[in-house]
Amino acid sequence: MNVEMRELLEFYTASGVDCAMEDVPQDRFAESAAAAKTRKSPAVAKTPASKNAPQASATSHAQGPTTRSGFAEAPARPAQMAARVPNEEVIASAREQAANAETLDDLKSALQKFEGCNLKNYAKNTVFADGNPEAKVMIIGEAPGRDEDIQGLPFVGRSGQLLDRMFASIGLDRTSFYISNVIPWRPPGNRTPTPAETELCRPFIERQIELVNPDLLVFVGSSSAKTLTGSSEGIMRSRGRWTTYQCNSRDIPAMPIFHPAYLLRQPAQKRLAWQDLLTIKRKLAELS
Ligand code: URA
């Protein structure tokens, strides 16, 4: 590998690009030219398609894009690889599939079959949950990272190991808590999930909470707290304060805490995280 190539790869890695989106390079210029041609000849474009059918690339792959030198001809994407624009219909189907799940196993297989969220196209695994579904405590993070995607389990990377040590300090481990994420698929390059992706995944995590029916919820980081409580408060204000999560007309006590990834960057904040853990420990003692 020459120096320029190595430096380019190092730059990509430093920028957070750590996964390839496609197996072969694709000529997007040829794709958009083909799409423009299709738009000019409506007779060709009138292929019947459902509202949720594959968007841009399906049309252009169907036209057989001309290859330019250096580019392999893009293989037609299988249906489940086609990007979908999340719309009300897809969100309604997510709600229906989540609601139909009567057990956690049903819910896991519904998620594994769900094709409405584009994040799944780039993820290696559906990261459903870990820990004890009978536990009183349910911990919810934002989305899996690289290690979680590889292993198919939540919070197993560096920040997950810190989270385990944090909960071990108040006597809890994966036999005494259940742990999951709002989003079950790793966003490429660990980018922040879009609001549309979050809305698509929300029915599944809400159903998961219903099925686990915990006595106490812990939101790890502001993102899961905001998604599940509807609050817009940042973690600096919300951490360590009890809020409630409404589940089947029951109020479950819930507390946002600092994300361990933040604590790895700001170890001085572990002092506050420790106070929050003690508050959780006291609440658990009260509840039992
Ligand atoms: N961060 C999260 O929010 N969830 C994980 O599973 C891992 C890292």
Side-chain angles (χ1 to χ4, degrees):
M1 188 186 299
N2 64 31
V3 177
E4 288 83 8
M5 186 62 83
R6 200 179 56 237
E7 283 176 354
L8 180 63
L9 286 175
E10 280 168 6
F11 170 74
Y12 283 155
T13 312
S15 313
V17 181
D18 56 1
C19 62
M21 307 298 262
E22 303 283 350
D23 290 338
V24 288
Q26 289 197 34
D27 186 347
R28 302 289 179 199
F29 293 105
E31 283 187 4
S32 45
K37 221 164 113 192
T38 309
R39 276 197 297 276
K40 277 186 200 143
S41 45
V44 183
K46 271 190 191 152
T47 333
S50 85
K51 275 195 198 148
N52 293 331
Q55 306 290 313
S57 60
T59 323
S60 48
H61 290 320
Q63 297 299 310
T66 11
T67 57
R68 284 151 57 109
S69 74
F71 287 88
E73 187 160 356
R77 288 181 183 195
Q80 76 273 18
M81 282 295 286
R84 283 157 182 250
V85 178
N87 55 24
E88 264 311 313
E89 213 177 309
V90 187
I91 296 174
S93 129
R95 277 197 210 108
E96 193 187 329
Q97 291 178 49
N100 286 343
E102 299 208 332
T103 63
L104 288 168
D105 283 345
D106 287 351
L107 190 66
K108 184 175 179 181
S109 62
L111 263 176
Q112 283 167 334
K113 286 185 208 130
F114 185 64
E115 299 298 347
C117 183
N118 296 330
L119 290 176
K120 193 177 184 188
N121 295 341
Y122 306 110
K124 291 187 174 59
N125 275 300
T126 298
V127 178
F128 184 65
D130 196 16
N132 180 358
E134 304 287 320
K136 290 186 172 152
V137 182
M138 178 166 179
I139 301 173
I140 306 177
E142 181 183 27
R146 182 176 175 276
D147 296 304
E148 289 76 21
D149 184 37
I150 292 169
Q151 293 188 41
L153 290 170
F155 284 103
V156 289
R158 242 183 107 220
S159 64
Q161 287 158 21
L162 174 57
L163 193 76
D164 281 345
R165 290 199 296 278
M166 287 162 63
F167 278 93
S169 73
I170 57 164
L172 299 178
D173 62 20
R174 293 189 187 217
T175 64
S176 45
F177 62 71
Y178 180 80
I179 187 161
S180 184
N181 281 302
V182 169
I183 310 271
W185 299 289
R186 181 198 182 198
N190 294 347
R191 68 163 168 77
T192 305
T194 64
E197 287 159 353
T198 305
E199 278 316 296
L200 271 172
C201 296
R202 175 210 285 280
F204 294 100
I205 185 67
E206 287 178 346
R207 184 70 183 136
Q208 202 169 356
I209 300 172
E210 268 174 26
L211 291 168
V212 174
N213 196 21
D215 289 345
L216 197 151
L217 280 165
V218 180
F219 300 132
V220 181
S222 66
S223 166
S224 63
K226 286 178 180 169
T227 303
L228 293 166
T229 64
S231 151
S232 55
E233 261 182 0
I235 194 70
M236 288 299 173
R237 281 185 67 81
S238 65
R239 60 139 276 275
R241 293 198 345 226
W242 289 110
T243 177
T244 50
Y245 175 84
Q246 269 245 327
C247 179
N248 290 332
S249 57
R250 184 167 83 91
D251 278 345
I252 304 180
M255 178 176 293
I257 62 168
F258 281 139
H259 198 290
Y262 170 73
L263 295 174
L264 286 170
R265 295 192 304 273
Q266 301 286 338
Q269 300 285 36
K270 285 182 185 168
R271 190 176 58 82
L272 295 176
W274 170 236
Q275 287 174 11
D276 301 346
L277 287 164
L278 291 179
T279 313
I280 292 170
K281 187 180 180 185
R282 276 195 299 275
K283 182 66 121 194
L284 272 175
E286 270 171 38
L287 290 173
S288 55

